[in-house]
Amino acid sequence: FNLTQDTETRQCRIDDENLQLSHILFKPNVFVSTHVLRTFDRGSILKNLFGLVPDRKKSRFHKKLPAVLADLYEAIGGIDLAVMDGTNLWHAWTGPTTRMNTILVGRDAVAVETVGATLAGLDPQKMPVIQEFSRRGLGETNMENIEILGVDFDELKKECEIAIRASKKSKRARSEER
């Protein structure tokens, strides 16, 4: 389905602009956002919302991305199920992936984003996207308030830290070879 070709739209206020969002965004019983686990400070699950903007010139929103994403989230009524595929940890700045065999699933997309960011070695308290959602009360951003089931989170976090360090070390070694 091409969102830009939909003629049945609803007007929504996004970053002080009136955008026509596709009717399909408002009809599903469940809105699911999926992404891979990655070391990228602009987000994963929540950044997917940027794809809802039915405009080829959406780069104008990059400077206000956190607010735009939160506006989109509010306009469609939120994300009902967030799924972060941690089969591999994608190292955004170093390139290769590391096998982690993990999946994060939750009904609070902001909490899933927060857990994913923490595992990826990022500080959710320093991530503008997560902080904008927190400021608007759109989800949980405090790791102490997020219930993790099925795995020892501290052990998983250690495994991710080791993988990130190894990836950085590997990148340095490749750079030195050149």
Side-chain angles (χ1 to χ4, degrees):
F1 187 82
N2 186 336
L3 296 176
T4 62
Q5 295 176 351
D6 190 6
T7 57
E8 188 181 338
T9 61
R10 181 187 297 176
Q11 184 171 301
C12 295
R13 194 88 176 143
I14 306 294
D15 188 42
D16 297 326
E17 286 187 37
N18 289 321
L19 291 183
Q20 298 296 326
L21 296 182
S22 170
H23 78 283
I24 203 164
L25 300 173
F26 304 98
K27 287 192 174 192
N29 292 326
V30 177
F31 191 91
V32 178
S33 182
T34 65
H35 207 286
V36 297
L37 181 61
R38 66 182 181 165
T39 58
F40 185 62
D41 63 356
R42 289 207 170 184
S44 298
I45 296 287
L46 301 174
K47 185 161 183 312
N48 275 350
L49 294 168
F50 199 50
L52 302 181
V53 176
D55 190 330
R56 292 179 190 258
K57 296 179 182 177
K58 60 185 172 185
S59 62
R60 69 185 181 279
F61 294 119
H62 276 120
K63 290 182 182 174
K64 299 179 183 179
L65 188 63
V68 168
L69 295 176
D71 287 349
L72 289 163
Y73 184 93
E74 291 179 316
I76 66 166
I79 295 170
D80 298 300
L81 187 66
V83 181
M84 189 168 292
D85 179 355
T87 303
N88 295 296
L89 170 60
W90 188 71
H91 307 284
W93 307 115
T94 60
T97 61
T98 305
R99 194 117 178 111
M100 298 307 300
N101 294 323
T102 300
I103 190 164
L104 307 174
V105 180
R107 296 192 50 101
D108 180 340
V110 180
V112 172
E113 185 86 39
T114 299
V115 172
T118 301
L119 289 175
L122 302 170
D123 181 353
Q125 301 307 314
K126 293 181 180 176
M127 294 175 65
V129 169
I130 290 176
Q131 289 312 298
E132 179 66 22
F133 278 72
S134 176
R135 187 182 66 73
R136 294 189 192 194
L138 299 175
E140 185 57 61
T141 62
N142 183 338
M143 283 297 300
E144 292 179 15
N145 296 333
I146 299 172
E147 184 179 12
I148 311 268
L149 303 173
V151 68
D152 181 320
F153 182 74
D154 291 329
E155 283 299 314
L156 182 58
K157 186 176 173 193
K158 280 184 206 172
E159 288 177 35
C160 287
E161 289 169 353
I162 291 167
I164 292 166
R165 279 196 305 272
S167 176
K168 288 178 181 177
K169 192 176 191 180
S170 174
K171 182 182 181 191
R172 278 194 300 272
R174 285 192 311 273
S175 295
E176 292 170 3
E177 289 174 358
R178 292 181 193 153

